[in-house]
Amino acid sequence: METRVQVLSEDEKAQVHERTLQVLRTVGMRCDTKEGRRILAAAGADVDETTRRVRFPTDLVENLLAQATTTFTLHGRRPGWSFPVGAGEFTLLADGGATSVVDATTGERRPTTFDDWRAATRLLDALDDVGLYWCPTDYDVDYERPGGFVRYFTRVFGTFGKHVQDSFGTPELAPWLKEVLDIVFGGPDQVRRQLPLSFLITPASPLTMEHDFTQTWLEVRDYGLPVAVMPMPLQGATAPGSRLGTLLAANVETVGTICLVQAAAPGTPVFYAPVVATMDPRTGLYAAGAVEHAVLGVAGTEMARWYGLPAESSGLCTQTYQPDLQTAWEKADSALLVTLARPDVLVGPGLLGGATVLCLEQIVLDVEVVRRARQGATGVPVRDDLWLDDVLEQVGPCGTFIGERSTRAGVRGGEWRLSDFGVQGSWDAWRAAGSPSTVTAARERVDAILAEQVSLPFGDDQAAALAALQRRADAAS
């Protein structure tokens, strides 16, 4: 008796698919990379070179979707760590790209620094709930030059030991990425087996496979990296002004891009990963904390499941700029709703302000929110040994169950989730501890984790090879 949520019926999911096929067949998508258009034309798509418009026959869409690898295992540098995708497991992907940070000392917002990047990356590495990584801050200014690019990926793989999901829009840098992967993971064959990195493709809404990131993936496709296809249509702005129309646009953009991926490299592992979002019609801004965003996240997860594809879904979103009550309700309702839809990967921990502001305390708070949501998803387990009607008969009226063996077994067996975070005891105990706020407790937790976290060092040969590669990259910059 698990807790479930449903937005779309089976018939409604089929309708989304049928209308997606119609849009792809009649309207199509613009594909800005010439190589992508060539690949799709060779696969049987109708390509207009003048407008860059690609239209997809229905049979072609169905055949290409069927080629996607839907169960695979992600790895990282950490010995023994792996995450099976498509096996009913769940992990978090830390949100990324913040341009500012809530300073832990002053409480004020300021631009992010390398120290913020390092602290956030170390914290995420230490939290087992977080299996996948995006760069938590904006990239350095030299990221799209060989020196900065090699430096970044060397630092990432040297600090975060689990799976990295990243992207870049400079095709000329693809050979440098391959060299980093070869050194860190032992060559192309090992990369294909371990899948330590997945590539993020973000079609531009509406209905456009943009050039830079798409072409970059085409340059690295021979390494077999999983691909997450993540359009970000915004209801009423870059998508139609209804939730259903926005879901349709997201599905068209995701499915159309998956078709290119499979035509270019059949069998590539994929994540169905749209961020189906909404606009605040009062301002035109992304309404990160809107409950409609959370509901659309559920609907997107349901479409992934309908296709039999792994779901990378978005939740834990908020519009607020510091941890407060609004942050709590916006992140809690989106986390619970999307978690109940059971994605493989939930994106979102750690950012505020519509994913623009990093807050280390919020990372810890968000992980706690998701732990609660996951316990809620277990519902009311039903087994013969859990009815306890014999215990009810034995204790009888006016008795107590505190001392019963079955109560102790329930505590140990997961009938309660016993959090070690936040206020759990009496008023007197809380006052005696200095009446700490939840944010203060989160700050203490962050400090304790960072005091103990140790990243996995590179071996001597790896370090020497990476240093030599860095010198060449700097010279080429």
Side-chain angles (χ1 to χ4, degrees):
M1 195 185 298
E2 295 182 336
T3 311
R4 295 281 179 177
V5 63
Q6 179 180 326
V7 171
L8 301 173
S9 68
E10 289 301 308
D11 178 66
E12 288 163 346
K13 285 180 274 191
Q15 289 183 54
V16 173
H17 175 61
E18 290 302 320
R19 288 179 184 265
T20 294
L21 293 176
Q22 178 183 345
V23 173
L24 285 171
R25 183 175 63 251
T26 60
V27 180
M29 292 183 68
R30 195 178 85 178
C31 180
D32 285 343
T33 163
K34 185 175 182 179
E35 184 177 4
R37 295 194 300 274
R38 178 188 61 76
I39 290 168
L40 287 169
D46 178 13
V47 177
D48 185 329
E49 281 294 332
T50 302
T51 62
R52 302 178 182 177
R53 187 76 64 90
V54 178
R55 294 176 174 86
F56 300 78
T58 293
D59 288 348
L60 177 63
V61 175
E62 302 280 18
N63 291 337
L64 290 173
L65 283 175
Q67 294 184 38
T69 296
T70 59
T71 57
F72 47 95
T73 300
L74 306 176
H75 294 85
R77 288 189 63 233
R78 181 184 294 181
W81 185 89
S82 64
F83 179 72
V85 177
E89 298 296 319
F90 175 95
T91 194
L92 292 173
L93 194 167
D95 208 345
T99 56
S100 59
V101 63
V102 177
D103 189 285
T105 303
T106 66
E108 298 297 319
R109 191 180 72 160
R110 58 167 175 75
T112 57
T113 66
F114 171 73
D115 287 341
D116 298 319
W117 174 87
R118 187 169 183 271
T121 302
R122 292 179 60 226
L123 178 62
L124 295 167
D125 184 59
L127 292 167
D128 290 338
D129 307 74
V130 179
L132 278 68
Y133 174 89
W134 284 351
C135 181
T137 62
D138 201 9
Y139 297 101
D140 288 342
V141 293
D142 63 349
Y143 174 67
E144 294 193 345
R145 295 195 293 271
F149 182 82
V150 169
R151 187 174 299 106
Y152 167 75
F153 275 101
T154 299
R155 286 171 172 170
V156 168
F157 290 126
T159 309
F160 188 81
K162 293 165 283 184
H163 183 83
V164 175
Q165 185 174 102
D166 218 312
S167 191
F168 58 101
T170 311
E172 297 79 13
L173 293 175
W176 296 100
L177 175 64
K178 292 178 181 180
E179 287 201 63
V180 173
L181 291 172
D182 289 348
I183 293 169
V184 174
F185 296 101
D189 290 340
Q190 284 296 323
V191 172
R192 295 185 193 100
R193 279 193 289 269
Q194 296 180 44
L195 303 181
L197 175 72
S198 50
F199 195 92
L200 187 66
I201 298 179
T202 53
S205 300
L207 304 176
T208 303
M209 290 180 266
E210 56 76 50
H211 176 273
D212 293 350
F213 290 85
T214 307
Q215 185 61 39
T216 300
W217 174 75
L218 289 170
E219 299 294 333
V220 301
R221 70 186 187 271
D222 57 316
Y223 268 49
L225 305 176
V227 174
V229 178
M230 185 175 283
M232 301 180 188
L234 198 64
Q235 177 188 347
T238 59
S242 70
R243 279 168 271 177
L244 187 59
T246 301
L247 178 65
L248 174 62
N251 200 59
V252 170
E253 292 160 1
T254 305
V255 169
T257 306
I258 290 174
C259 286
L260 171 60
V261 169
Q262 296 306 316
T268 295
V270 296
F271 287 99
Y272 180 104
V275 178
V276 196
T278 188
M279 170 191 72
D280 185 335
R282 297 165 297 189
T283 63
L285 297 175
Y286 163 45
V291 71
E292 294 87 356
H293 186 5
V295 171
L296 286 167
V298 174
T301 307
E302 291 176 346
M303 289 308 303
R305 295 291 179 238
W306 193 85
Y307 285 114
L309 296 170
E312 181 174 310
S313 306
S314 293
L316 291 163
C317 304
T318 185
Q319 193 60 45
T320 61
Y321 296 92
Q322 62 182 2
D324 62 13
L325 288 175
Q326 182 179 341
T327 311
W329 76 61
E330 290 181 347
K331 283 180 172 277
D333 63 30
S334 64
L336 180 59
L337 281 170
V338 181
T339 297
L340 291 178
R342 289 166 173 77
D344 297 85
V345 178
L346 177 62
V347 180
L351 297 194
L352 304 166
T356 63
V357 182
L358 172 66
C359 178
L360 298 189
E361 295 88 349
Q362 193 63 53
I363 293 174
V364 172
L365 294 169
D366 287 347
V367 166
E368 178 67 15
V369 167
V370 172
R371 288 173 180 172
R372 290 174 58 86
R374 295 190 68 186
Q375 177 72 358
T378 64
V380 180
V382 177
R383 299 195 312 263
D384 287 346
D385 64 309
L386 295 177
W387 287 104
L388 301 180
D389 45 350
D390 57 329
V391 180
L392 187 62
E393 178 182 359
Q394 177 182 328
V395 172
C398 297
T400 178
F401 297 85
I402 291 177
E404 291 297 316
R405 181 175 299 174
S406 57
T407 301
R408 295 194 298 274
V411 171
R412 299 188 184 104
E415 287 292 310
W416 286 263
R417 179 180 173 266
L418 301 177
S419 175
D420 63 350
F421 185 79
V423 178
Q424 308 296 338
S426 67
W427 165 271
D428 291 339
W430 175 67
R431 292 287 289 177
S435 309
S437 71
T438 305
V439 175
T440 298
R443 180 69 252 170
E444 293 172 351
R445 180 65 58 88
V446 169
D447 290 343
I449 291 172
L450 293 180
E452 296 182 359
Q453 188 273 348
V454 178
S455 298
L456 181 67
F458 291 119
D460 291 344
D461 291 345
Q462 287 176 311
L466 288 168
L469 179 63
Q470 185 67 62
R471 290 191 291 273
R472 285 200 290 115
D474 289 338
S477 294

